[in-house]
Amino acid sequence: MIPGKYRSVSGRAANNVNCGLHLVIQTSSLPEKSKVRFKQVEFKLNKETPSFSGRLLQHDLERNYSSRQGDHIHLASSSMPSFPILQRSSEEKILYSDRLTLERQKLTVCPIIDGEEHLRLLNFQHNFITRIQNISNLQRLIFLDLYDNQIEEISGLSTLRSLRVLLLGKNRIKQISNLENLKSLDVLDLHGNQITKIENVSHLCDLRVLNLARNLLSHVDNLNGLDSLTELNLRHNQITFVRDVDNLPCLQRLFLSFNNISTFESVCCLADSSSLSDITFDGNPIAQESWYKHTILQNMMQLRQLDMKRVTEEERRMASVVAKKEEEKKRESHKQSLLKEKKRLTINNVARKWDLQQHRIPNIAPNQDRKVSDSSQDPSQLHGSTVSAFPEETGSLDSGLTNDLQGLSVTDTHLVEVDGDTLSLYGSGALESLDRNWSVQTAGMVTTVSFTFIEFDEIVQVLPKLKIKFPNSLHLKFKETNLVMLQQFNALAQLRRVDQLTIDPQGNPVVNFTLWKYYVLFRLSHFSMQKINGTEVTQNDMIMAERLFGILAHVASSELPQYRMISILGDARKKQFRYLLETKGKKPGLVNEENNDSKRLVGENTNRAMLNYTTRDFYNERLEEIKEKKKFCKMYMEDLVKEATEINMKNEALQKLWPQMFIELVRDAVIEIRNKNSYMKLCLQQITDQN
Amino acid sequence: MLSPDRLALPDYEYLAQRHVLTYMEDAVCQLLENKEDISQYGVARFFTEYFNSVCQGTHILFREFSFIQATPHNRASFLRAFWKCFRTVGKNGDLLTMREYHCLLQLLCPDFPLELTQKAARIVLMDDAMDCLMSFSDFLLAFQIQFYYSEFLESVAAIYQDLLAGKNPNTVIVPTSSSGQHRQRPPLGEASVLEGVEASLFSQCLENLCDRHKYSCPPPALVKEVLSNVQRLTFYGFLVALSKHHGINQALGALPDKGDLMHDPAMDEELERLLAQVPGLVNSAPANPEAGCLPFRTPPRVGSPWRPLHHARKVDAESDGSTEETDESET
């Protein structure tokens, strides 16, 4: 007889009994091993039946008990050839009336168990059973252990309505099925099988422990209905996402170690589960991520243990801080990429417009020389005058972003960007942005100004503004600006100082000239430029520049008549003053500056100051203005000439006629005086007449 | 005083032939434009200066193209100025494209038309490969012919075309086919079997042209000389010959002989003086300018020529005025 003493599954601590078959099922509160532990008692079998050694292997190696009693099991052949019939000696039946252990009996089938209707515990561990059979009569069964067999399908359990613990670990079960009647099931152990899907468990509302470790699960769902589930073991599967966990109101421990979870989104339902206190993710790809810990902690505030380690307050705090930072960073980078994209699009747009402009010149303007600076007439620009939302965003950007990047104003037709020390202008509309109120700090930091897709003639007109608003700009870059003449470089002389000049060959034909660098060095020698197009300026370069063009300067300064010099200088000065006068509110300091500038213009390199550049439009304007004067002059001269020729004619006529006239005069006089007396009378008469 | 040939011309024509009116008009125009400045030092002085500069040939500097083209003297002065200023480029040995020469021309005359430069380049390059590089002297001589005699050359071109087409404006139609010696130079115009025209016929036409042409022409004797050397010639061949003929060059009087094109001792001296000051050329002595009188003689030297460049920048900064502290800190 098998002494019947065992504890039913209750979650309480094990009670050690010294004698007899002792079966204690204990669900430990320590999470070290979440398996259902078996506390087994090892006992010796009757030597008569060595083949039925009912030795139960210990699952729990910590507690080792030697049994003192054997188990008399006698298997006799039955009438049915395949099923052995199990009979026990009546002694054992009395001793262990409610438990039967058939461990390691090399059973390949479940034997027919006669006369054991009171059986409450049945142990078939470590056999070779392939099908659950012949136990339908054991309707009082509470504990059924079929660990380590070869069962391929859950079946034959439909009568075991009292079953509370069903251990089917280490079998070959492929799907969860046929558990419909086991409504009292408390522990279901299916670890070590080949289950691919959680199903047919929704009715197990008393189930507290579900072990599906070491199966082939790829995802977790279908967990509704398990209202008592406290522990769910899903270790060593291939799970990529988890769902429905928030439908488990009592779930406290969830073990997901050694699966295939890589993002938090795939297990996001965990955040909604308020009962979860213990979770493991080790062995998943997600645990290798840098954001793993704080993301989990941030999203699962209810957690007490993560990966078997207690979650401290400190960790939680850190997690929330880090999470916030990450969120912000993500937002920022998203904004950045938006900005970049917008910038790129705008630049493309501007480039396209520029190309159109350049190629449209023969079509629109009859005069080929005239640069199309009247882009306002460009119809394709009409749709582009909308101001984007970016100006409003600048405020928030300023607060969030670092000083490295400030996208300032983006419209479809032009782009202005300040990037640390570089001011980039794309498209002619961008030149207007120089009028804006720039903060002193921003403007002061700018040392490089880059112009792209803007006509050089237009740039020339804003150079005075540039000088004032961005006083530290030392490096100028020009790309696609239609620099075609050496003369245009003269315009750069009005700037305060230029250290570096970069003329991109693209869109600037002037770079194709052999002498352009020397001309720049020559004309802008007062800047003492350091670099042109990236190459350092050497003394030799300066000398060569001077050698090539020095005489030009000399001629320009020494051989021009005074009034020409004054008029040329006067023009340059007038243009500078024109801008300064236009901007209102001049502080005295600024006035001094303009004086200094003019002084400098005159003082330094006077021999070069003659060489300046007026844009084509201005030039033609001036010529137009002069036309009136020329007409007047012509008329005036014609008048003069007419007068002169008249006088000349008269003179010539006089010359011709004079001999004759002279003779006549003399003749007249002589005739008058022929008669002295009468002449004297005539004269006296004349005198008295006068009085 | 009463010389017959003076009286032979009516007044306007006489004046026109000497271009007196042009200069007078221009002078008055300049006076009007710069009233304020000139009034400060007197109209008489202005006129003196103006006509002095006309005599010296500096009146065309930085003037508009219409003025430069107006009289032969202007043209010659312009040629001379161009030579003077850019002789150094030639001396340096650089070969430049047509566009670059045009750029240089534009430095002296901002609205100089591209067509003229192109035509000059065609002469040098024999109407072939217009992007080729040209030497300074070649270009200059060709440009001289093209610019100075531009109207004449146009008429010559017309005559040449006529002759090519077989129409002789002057005499009976003379067949111009056959025996042409095969010249290296490619023929002008469309696919005609003959190359160029017969020199003597051409010469005759040109003589007639010179007689009735009111614009300046090269001396007919020299033209004849050019044409007498060859049997047949093409248009550009003729022009090249013209440009290289030193007699014509001398007759023009603008440029020195071809051999001397690179020599100008006075300017070379000047250049040496300027070169010696290269590092110190930066803002040497900013003299206070009075409105009327500007110091433009070579500024006094500051420091040695071998002063490093950035040091010069410091000098720059000092004269900038009080607001330029940032510059100083950067040096």
Side-chain angles (χ1 to χ4, degrees):
Chain A
M1 288 252 248
I2 304 171
K5 228 189 205 173
Y6 77 97
R7 289 232 182 261
S8 64
V9 177
S10 62
R12 282 184 288 165
N15 220 340
N16 297 343
V17 179
N18 296 346
C19 57
L21 179 60
H22 205 82
L23 194 66
V24 174
I25 298 141
Q26 170 192 334
T27 52
S28 161
S29 57
L30 294 174
E32 283 304 326
K33 283 168 194 161
S34 61
K35 263 196 230 170
V36 174
R37 272 194 237 174
F38 298 101
K39 203 160 154 199
Q40 307 294 354
V41 172
E42 187 175 326
F43 59 90
K44 288 199 188 93
L45 283 177
N46 198 338
K47 285 180 191 146
E48 290 168 17
T49 56
S51 55
F52 303 117
S53 57
R55 183 167 289 152
L56 293 168
L57 255 188
Q58 289 167 195
H59 291 263
D60 185 358
L61 296 168
E62 288 173 2
R63 317 198 188 185
N64 205 336
Y65 295 89
S66 52
S67 71
R68 279 187 282 152
Q69 287 192 328
D71 196 13
H72 293 277
I73 300 169
H74 177 62
L75 284 173
S77 59
S78 67
S79 52
M80 298 202 287
S82 46
F83 295 121
I85 298 180
L86 181 72
Q87 279 167 5
R88 285 201 293 180
S89 65
S90 43
E91 211 181 75
E92 284 182 2
K93 266 199 206 165
I94 295 168
L95 258 181
Y96 307 106
S97 61
D98 56 355
R99 61 188 76 175
L100 178 55
T101 307
L102 292 169
E103 204 181 315
R104 293 182 201 278
Q105 297 295 318
K106 298 201 172 74
L107 297 169
T108 52
V109 292
C110 291
I112 298 176
I113 302 174
D114 247 353
E116 303 269 11
E117 270 70 24
H118 300 293
L119 219 49
R120 289 205 268 182
L121 181 151
L122 184 50
N123 184 344
F124 274 123
Q125 282 188 35
H126 303 296
N127 283 294
F128 303 96
I129 297 170
T130 51
R131 282 192 65 182
I132 311 174
Q133 294 164 308
N134 300 323
I135 52 172
S136 328
N137 49 335
L138 307 171
Q139 296 190 5
R140 297 260 186 96
L141 209 55
I142 290 180
F143 184 104
L144 177 56
D145 187 351
L146 285 158
Y147 173 78
D148 192 17
N149 278 284
Q150 293 172 3
I151 298 169
E152 290 174 13
E153 190 194 346
I154 307 176
S155 58
L157 303 173
S158 38
T159 54
L160 308 176
R161 289 175 208 279
S162 316
L163 200 64
R164 301 244 196 106
V165 178
L166 177 55
L167 308 179
L168 285 167
K170 211 167 172 192
N171 277 286
R172 298 182 191 168
I173 298 170
K174 297 202 173 41
Q175 57 169 345
I176 311 172
S177 56
N178 296 325
L179 298 173
E180 284 84 35
N181 293 338
L182 307 178
K183 293 216 170 59
S184 320
L185 210 54
D186 196 36
V187 174
L188 177 55
D189 181 5
L190 288 165
H191 80 274
N193 280 289
Q194 297 161 9
I195 296 169
T196 54
K197 216 171 125 163
I198 303 178
E199 54 189 343
N200 299 322
V201 295
S202 325
H203 56 283
L204 303 172
C205 36
D206 283 341
L207 194 67
R208 280 184 316 115
V209 176
L210 176 55
N211 186 351
L212 286 165
R214 296 192 192 272
N215 274 286
L216 301 175
L217 294 170
S218 57
H219 58 271
V220 175
D221 50 13
N222 251 341
L223 290 175
N224 41 318
L226 299 170
D227 295 333
S228 311
L229 197 65
T230 316
E231 177 174 321
L232 179 55
N233 185 351
L234 295 166
R235 289 196 175 96
H236 291 283
N237 276 286
Q238 299 157 7
I239 294 170
T240 49
F241 66 86
V242 172
R243 276 201 233 135
D244 290 347
V245 169
D246 39 347
N247 289 334
L248 304 172
C250 297
L251 189 67
Q252 288 171 19
R253 293 178 289 278
L254 176 58
F255 305 111
L256 286 165
S257 314
F258 298 101
N259 275 289
N260 213 358
I261 296 169
S262 42
T263 66
F264 187 76
E265 283 70 39
S266 46
V267 299
C268 58
C269 65
L270 298 179
D272 299 326
S273 163
S274 48
S275 52
L276 259 181
S277 65
D278 196 345
I279 199 166
T280 65
F281 280 109
D282 51 299
N284 281 284
I286 195 180
Q288 306 301 319
E289 300 281 358
S290 54
W291 42 261
Y292 160 62
K293 198 158 185 189
H294 62 257
T295 308
I296 302 284
L297 290 181
Q298 180 65 12
N299 286 295
M300 300 181 63
M301 300 297 285
Q302 71 278 35
L303 217 54
R304 294 225 199 92
Q305 290 213 29
L306 175 62
D307 292 336
M308 302 303 179
K309 284 180 270 192
R310 254 198 88 221
V311 174
T312 63
E313 272 313 305
E314 179 66 23
E315 282 174 333
R316 255 192 258 272
R317 210 177 41 77
M318 282 302 296
S320 68
V321 165
V322 174
K324 263 196 215 113
K325 261 197 240 160
E326 287 244 349
E327 183 68 32
E328 267 203 38
K329 236 198 295 176
K330 233 188 277 178
R331 245 185 296 143
E332 251 184 54
S333 70
H334 180 65
K335 269 199 199 123
Q336 298 270 22
S337 55
L338 261 183
L339 254 179
K340 276 208 181 90
E341 185 59 26
K342 185 128 196 180
K343 217 186 351 159
R344 197 182 61 80
L345 285 175
T346 309
I347 292 180
N348 280 350
N349 200 16
V350 176
R352 221 178 333 126
K353 229 167 281 281
W354 173 259
D355 283 339
L356 276 174
Q357 261 187 14
Q358 300 303 307
H359 298 144
R360 242 199 263 187
I361 288 179
N363 291 342
I364 288 185
N367 182 4
Q368 271 221 332
D369 286 336
R370 201 179 171 85
K371 310 257 189 286
V372 179
S373 53
D374 48 0
S375 50
S376 54
Q377 298 166 14
D378 191 352
S380 58
Q381 203 186 21
L382 284 177
H383 71 268
S385 48
T386 55
V387 178
S388 80
F390 269 75
E392 287 98 60
E393 271 191 56
T394 18
S396 57
L397 274 179
D398 274 342
S399 57
L401 287 178
T402 62
N403 288 336
D404 284 347
L405 179 61
Q406 284 179 20
L408 281 176
S409 158
V410 174
T411 75
D412 282 343
T413 59
H414 66 262
L415 171 61
V416 179
E417 182 194 16
V418 176
D419 186 358
D421 63 352
T422 305
L423 168 67
S424 307
L425 303 165
Y426 300 84
S428 54
L431 295 177
E432 293 162 359
S433 71
L434 290 173
D435 286 330
R436 242 193 269 163
N437 280 330
W438 295 85
S439 78
V440 178
Q441 194 202 17
T442 319
M445 271 186 21
V446 167
T447 58
T448 305
V449 183
S450 148
F451 301 92
T452 317
F453 303 122
I454 312 177
E455 292 276 356
F456 188 79
D457 287 358
E458 292 177 27
I459 299 174
V460 163
Q461 295 169 30
V462 302
L463 283 179
K465 282 189 222 171
L466 188 71
K467 192 161 75 156
I468 291 190
K469 292 268 181 166
F470 293 95
N472 290 337
S473 52
L474 298 174
H475 181 183
L476 296 183
K477 294 165 91 158
F478 297 92
K479 182 173 166 176
E480 290 280 4
T481 53
N482 247 343
L483 268 171
V484 289
M485 301 194 285
L486 293 177
Q487 215 190 4
Q488 289 174 306
F489 288 119
N490 293 345
L492 295 178
Q494 62 184 291
L495 291 173
R496 183 166 299 149
R497 195 167 101 206
V498 175
D499 266 354
Q500 272 194 61
L501 193 58
T502 304
I503 315 282
D504 196 307
Q506 190 182 346
N508 289 320
V510 85
V511 177
N512 297 329
F513 293 156
T514 332
L515 301 177
W516 77 273
K517 276 195 195 168
Y518 295 120
Y519 186 76
V520 169
L521 286 175
F522 154 74
R523 182 64 185 86
L524 304 176
S525 62
H526 57 287
F527 289 154
S528 303
M529 290 178 69
Q530 309 273 329
K531 275 195 190 175
I532 295 188
N533 274 15
T535 41
E536 291 257 342
V537 170
T538 65
Q539 182 84 331
N540 282 343
D541 290 337
M542 297 294 289
I543 291 183
M544 177 59 84
E546 191 62 31
R547 190 186 290 279
L548 285 174
F549 296 107
I551 295 188
L552 172 65
H554 173 79
V555 164
S557 59
S558 60
E559 301 198 358
L560 270 185
Q562 284 266 9
Y563 74 91
R564 291 295 321 283
M565 297 188 75
I566 297 177
S567 77
I568 290 181
L569 278 186
D571 268 348
R573 246 183 312 174
K574 267 187 217 139
K575 260 195 284 176
Q576 295 222 340
F577 285 164
R578 205 191 300 173
Y579 164 67
L580 292 172
L581 289 173
E582 276 167 10
T583 58
K584 311 164 281 195
K586 289 291 131 225
K587 300 179 283 216
L590 207 53
V591 172
N592 279 340
E593 221 171 271
E594 74 192 26
N595 282 343
N596 283 341
D597 282 346
S598 64
K599 249 191 247 169
R600 192 150 44 102
L601 189 64
V602 171
E604 74 175 48
N605 283 345
T606 44
N607 54 354
R608 264 151 253 244
M610 292 309 127
L611 306 167
N612 53 19
Y613 173 67
T614 45
T615 61
R616 179 68 40 126
D617 303 335
F618 277 167
Y619 194 76
N620 293 341
E621 239 178 66
R622 205 155 46 102
L623 290 185
E624 287 289 322
E625 286 169 7
I626 297 179
K627 264 197 202 147
E628 277 292 322
K629 295 203 180 107
K630 279 202 176 145
K631 242 195 302 183
F632 167 75
C633 292
K634 200 169 170 82
M635 279 195 337
Y636 180 69
M637 288 311 302
E638 280 176 5
D639 287 346
L640 281 182
V641 168
K642 230 192 296 183
E643 258 186 64
T645 50
E646 275 178 17
I647 294 174
N648 188 39
M649 258 191 348
K650 289 183 193 166
N651 193 26
E652 285 183 3
L654 179 62
Q655 296 283 0
K656 252 193 253 167
L657 298 172
W658 177 249
Q660 192 65 25
M661 284 168 63
F662 186 71
I663 291 173
E664 282 177 21
L665 275 175
V666 170
R667 198 189 55 195
D668 289 345
V670 166
I671 290 176
E672 258 184 21
I673 307 180
R674 242 176 57 188
N675 192 340
K676 265 201 206 140
N677 291 333
S678 55
Y679 185 66
M680 271 197 304
K681 269 194 207 143
L682 188 61
C683 284
L684 282 174
Q685 184 77 22
Q686 279 177 354
I687 290 172
T688 49
D689 281 346
Q690 272 178 16
N691 295 342
Chain B
M1 282 256 290
L2 299 172
S3 53
D5 45 330
R6 241 185 76 204
L7 294 174
L9 282 176
D11 311 318
Y12 276 129
E13 279 198 25
Y14 170 72
L15 289 175
Q17 202 183 51
R18 299 293 186 266
H19 304 284
V20 173
L21 282 184
T22 318
Y23 292 111
M24 286 303 299
E25 277 170 20
D26 188 61
V28 175
C29 202
Q30 296 269 304
L31 182 60
L32 275 183
E33 267 185 78
N34 304 299
K35 267 195 297 205
E36 309 88 20
D37 303 316
I38 295 176
S39 57
Q40 290 183 6
Y41 64 86
V43 178
R45 186 163 153 198
F46 162 72
F47 274 108
T48 321
E49 277 188 8
Y50 181 85
F51 283 105
N52 266 337
S53 85
V54 170
C55 281
Q56 285 168 359
T58 59
H59 58 299
I60 36 78
L61 288 173
F62 312 119
R63 294 298 305 272
E64 61 277 7
F65 178 68
S66 50
F67 177 67
I68 295 180
Q69 204 191 27
T71 73
H73 172 68
N74 284 5
R75 295 186 195 187
S77 312
F78 183 72
L79 289 168
R80 191 169 181 83
F82 182 72
W83 166 75
K84 213 173 186 188
C85 290
F86 296 114
R87 172 188 61 91
T88 41
V89 173
K91 200 162 168 196
N92 202 35
D94 286 311
L95 298 178
L96 310 178
T97 61
M98 182 264 300
R99 283 207 174 266
E100 200 157 358
Y101 281 120
H102 183 67
C103 235
L104 294 181
L105 283 168
Q106 277 183 318
L107 282 176
L108 290 179
C109 169
D111 58 348
F112 203 87
L114 186 61
E115 298 89 47
L116 270 182
T117 326
Q118 272 175 339
K119 285 188 192 158
R122 264 197 218 116
I123 298 177
V124 178
L125 302 168
M126 303 294 283
D127 203 17
D128 187 25
M130 290 301 285
D131 285 334
C132 253
L133 302 172
M134 302 179 275
S135 77
F136 182 72
S137 44
D138 284 345
F139 176 75
L140 186 55
L141 291 173
F143 179 70
Q144 173 183 242
I145 296 291
Q146 175 62 53
F147 183 45
Y148 195 79
Y149 297 125
S150 31
E151 297 85 358
F152 174 73
L153 287 193
E154 272 178 35
S155 317
V156 170
I159 292 179
Y160 183 79
Q161 288 298 332
D162 286 344
L163 286 182
L164 263 191
K167 297 181 286 168
N168 191 327
N170 284 344
T171 61
V172 188
I173 309 260
V174 175
T176 52
S177 63
S178 91
S179 70
Q181 306 130 347
H182 210 80
R183 290 202 164 265
Q184 303 290 11
R185 307 184 189 111
L188 248 196
E190 302 75 29
S192 47
V193 182
L194 40 88
E195 288 140 19
V197 296
E198 216 178 287
S200 44
L201 184 58
F202 195 49
S203 163
Q204 248 184 354
C205 300
L206 288 188
E207 247 182 83
N208 297 338
L209 180 63
C210 290
D211 285 338
R212 55 189 159 91
H213 213 291
K214 50 187 161 97
Y215 293 108
S216 57
C217 327
L222 294 176
V223 172
K224 231 188 190 149
E225 205 186 302
V226 168
L227 290 172
S228 62
N229 291 338
V230 295
Q231 275 283 63
R232 311 185 60 84
L233 77 175
T234 61
F235 180 61
Y236 283 109
F238 170 59
L239 292 182
V240 169
L242 263 190
S243 69
K244 298 228 160 84
H245 195 283
H246 71 275
I248 295 192
N249 191 15
Q250 271 176 352
L252 250 176
L255 302 174
D257 282 339
K258 182 160 185 220
D260 291 333
L261 259 186
M262 296 301 163
H263 296 153
D264 186 1
M267 283 295 118
D268 279 340
E269 242 182 66
E270 200 58 50
L271 186 58
E272 290 311 313
R273 233 182 300 153
L274 288 173
L275 276 178
Q277 299 172 36
V278 160
L281 266 178
V282 175
N283 193 18
S284 7
N288 284 328
E290 296 141 28
C293 142
L294 299 165
F296 51 80
R297 285 294 153 199
T298 52
R301 285 221 247 154
V302 179
S304 81
W306 304 117
R307 204 200 308 176
L309 288 175
H310 64 266
H311 191 49
R313 205 180 347 139
K314 199 165 180 196
V315 178
D316 197 13
E318 281 167 9
S319 71
D320 274 356
S322 54
T323 54
E324 306 281 77
E325 268 106 26
T326 49
D327 294 343
E328 298 235 299
S329 63
E330 276 165 18
T331 56

